[in-house]
């Protein structure tokens, strides 16, 4: 690769990614995808354009900001809301990476005649002996982000660089300080980018209108009523704290039954299962097995 576009969020990780690639001799173009804006005009922490543009100016690289609001709502926000309404717990960053960030960055890479894209994720793209690409975990377990990237396709991975895969966060900040980057001490974003206050239930209620279930029954595995819950979107399987019910022993959410508006509680042993059903399987580092369940699909 000679010309690379770097996804720049306005944070320190993407800033150092652009810096390292430039120092390595790449022609670097900074790109920010504008994915979310709240009703009061607040930007997402994933697309703080002013900081990203300032970093690009400091580095002396070309910079562009592109509007992806509709793509983000269609591929990330709507599935996020729907998942909770059906008793599931989504990871919106996974969908965002696959269907928004990588899709759009590769699209703009083609327009800008770039050879590939780069991001500030703490992971590494590896080409295996079988010719397929996969993602290797960061040695810094506390910052590893490989689990956010499991849906990426072979085409996407083949054109992706992740220069921070072998670095720790402290090392990245040190590099940024030594380079005099303004974002060197900028705090990390931990929250869901489109739910900055962390209250996802309020967000779902505001975006799902009459579809949100109201109060219902906590039940045990035999169907006995144990108490009242505040609405199924307030809970996730495996949850123990914040249930609002005292039964004299630790209990967990074992199942969410949206058809009957019930939340099933049980002990730790009740969480164990002998099998699982997987959807949207991405074999990534290996070719998909010829024998595959009819209920599963492979990317």
């Amino acid at each position: 690769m000679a010309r690379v576009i770097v996804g720049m969020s306005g944070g320190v990780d993407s800033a150092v990614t652009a810096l390292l690639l430039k120092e390595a001799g790449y022609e670097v173009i900074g790109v920010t995808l504008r994915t979310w804006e709240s009703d009061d005009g607040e930007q997402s922490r994933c697309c703080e354009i002013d900081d990203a543009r300032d970093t690009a100016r400091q580095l002396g690289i070309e910079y562009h900001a592109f509007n992806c609001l509709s793509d983000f709502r269609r591929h990330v926000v709507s599935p996020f809301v729907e998942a909770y309404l059906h008793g599931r717990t989504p990871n919106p960053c996974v969908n965002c990476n696959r269907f928004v960030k990588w899709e759009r960055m590769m699209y703009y890479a083609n327009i800008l005649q770039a050879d590939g894209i780069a991001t500030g994720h703490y992971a590494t793209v590896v080409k295996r002996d079988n010719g397929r690409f996969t993602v290797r975990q960061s040695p810094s377990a506390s910052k590893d982000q490989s689990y956010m990237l499991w849906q990426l396709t072979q085409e996407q991975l083949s054109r992706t660089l992740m220069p921070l895969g072998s670095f720790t966060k402290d090392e990245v900040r040190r590099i940024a300080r030594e380079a005099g980057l303004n974002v060197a001490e900028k705090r990390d974003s931990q929250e869901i980018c489109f739910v900055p206050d962390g209250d996802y239930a309020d967000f779902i209620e505001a975006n799902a209108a009459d579809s949100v279930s109201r109060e219902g029954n906590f039940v045990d595995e035999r169907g006995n009523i144990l108490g009242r819950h505040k609405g199924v979107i307030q809970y996730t399987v495996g949850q123990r704290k914040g249930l609002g019910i005292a039964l004299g022993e630790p209990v967990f959410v074992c199942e969410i039954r949206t058809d009957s508006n019930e939340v099933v509680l049980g002990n730790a042993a009740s969480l164990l299962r002998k099998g699982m059903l997987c959807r949207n399987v991405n074999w990534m580092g290996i070719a998909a097995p010829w024998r595959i369940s009819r209920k599963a699909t492979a990317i």
Side-chain angles (χ1 to χ4, degrees):
M1 297 185 189
R3 176 182 290 179
V4 178
I5 70 168
V6 176
M8 301 185 70
S9 65
V12 64
D13 295 330
S14 57
V16 171
T17 294
L19 171 65
L20 292 176
L21 290 174
K22 182 182 179 182
E23 290 180 340
Y26 290 89
E27 181 184 349
V28 177
I29 302 172
V31 167
T32 301
L33 303 181
R34 183 167 170 262
T35 56
W36 178 258
E37 184 177 275
S38 65
D39 292 338
D40 60 6
E42 183 179 355
Q43 292 180 345
S44 161
R45 284 297 306 277
C46 290
C47 52
E48 294 181 322
I49 295 173
D50 290 343
D51 284 347
R53 182 184 290 112
D54 184 56
T55 296
R57 179 191 57 77
Q58 284 188 279
L59 295 175
I61 62 174
E62 184 179 338
Y63 175 78
H64 302 274
F66 297 109
N67 191 335
C68 298
L69 294 176
S70 60
D71 288 332
F72 188 79
R73 180 165 286 279
R74 179 169 68 255
H75 292 296
V76 180
V77 177
S78 294
F80 176 85
V81 172
E82 283 297 310
Y84 270 106
L85 293 178
H86 289 87
R88 299 188 295 272
T89 305
N91 185 329
C93 293
V94 170
N95 273 2
C96 183
N97 285 331
R98 166 67 174 84
F99 296 106
V100 181
K101 289 181 179 177
W102 260 259
E103 285 285 337
R104 301 317 293 170
M105 282 199 295
M106 289 184 67
Y107 171 77
Y108 291 120
N110 292 335
I111 290 178
L112 297 169
Q113 298 183 322
D115 301 297
I117 67 175
T119 72
H121 286 87
Y122 287 83
T124 305
V125 177
V126 177
K127 187 175 183 179
R128 302 190 64 202
D129 292 341
N130 62 7
R132 291 181 65 87
F133 293 87
T134 189
V135 178
R136 177 182 294 160
Q137 291 179 316
S138 166
S140 176
S142 63
K143 293 300 296 180
D144 174 63
Q145 294 174 306
S146 59
Y147 65 97
M148 298 285 195
L149 308 170
W150 68 265
Q151 283 208 68
L152 299 185
T153 67
Q154 290 296 294
E155 170 65 15
Q156 290 171 334
L157 290 172
S158 71
R159 297 181 64 187
T160 298
L161 297 174
M162 296 180 191
L164 303 189
S166 61
F167 288 88
T168 66
K169 187 72 178 195
D170 288 342
E171 290 171 331
V172 167
R173 289 199 184 278
R174 176 183 55 78
I175 293 170
R177 282 194 296 269
E178 291 176 353
L181 297 181
N182 293 340
V183 295
E185 306 301 335
K186 187 174 180 179
R187 70 177 181 86
D188 290 342
S189 174
Q190 301 291 338
E191 69 277 355
I192 298 173
C193 68
F194 53 95
V195 191
D197 63 359
D199 196 339
Y200 71 88
D202 278 355
F203 180 86
I204 293 169
E205 289 182 358
N207 285 270
D210 297 333
S211 300
V212 178
S213 65
R214 302 303 175 186
E215 290 187 1
N217 289 327
F218 280 125
V219 298
D220 63 20
E221 294 173 280
R222 293 179 296 277
N224 298 312
I225 297 175
L226 303 175
R228 298 286 287 175
H229 67 68
K230 298 181 291 185
V232 296
I233 65 170
Q234 304 279 349
Y235 308 94
T236 186
V237 171
Q239 179 179 341
R240 180 174 71 87
K241 296 182 178 180
L243 299 179
I245 186 172
L247 298 176
E249 62 177 351
V251 292
F252 303 80
V253 174
C254 299
E255 184 183 353
I256 296 174
R257 298 172 178 169
T258 55
D259 55 345
S260 59
N261 194 26
E262 294 175 326
V263 175
V264 182
L265 302 180
N267 58 29
S270 300
L271 290 172
L272 302 179
R273 296 292 184 271
K274 294 182 179 179
M276 67 178 70
L277 174 64
C278 297
R279 297 182 177 89
N280 301 319
V281 176
N282 185 6
W283 299 96
M284 195 174 280
I286 61 172
W290 66 270
R291 181 176 295 176
I292 187 169
S293 168
R294 293 185 213 171
K295 295 183 180 180
T297 57
I299 297 176

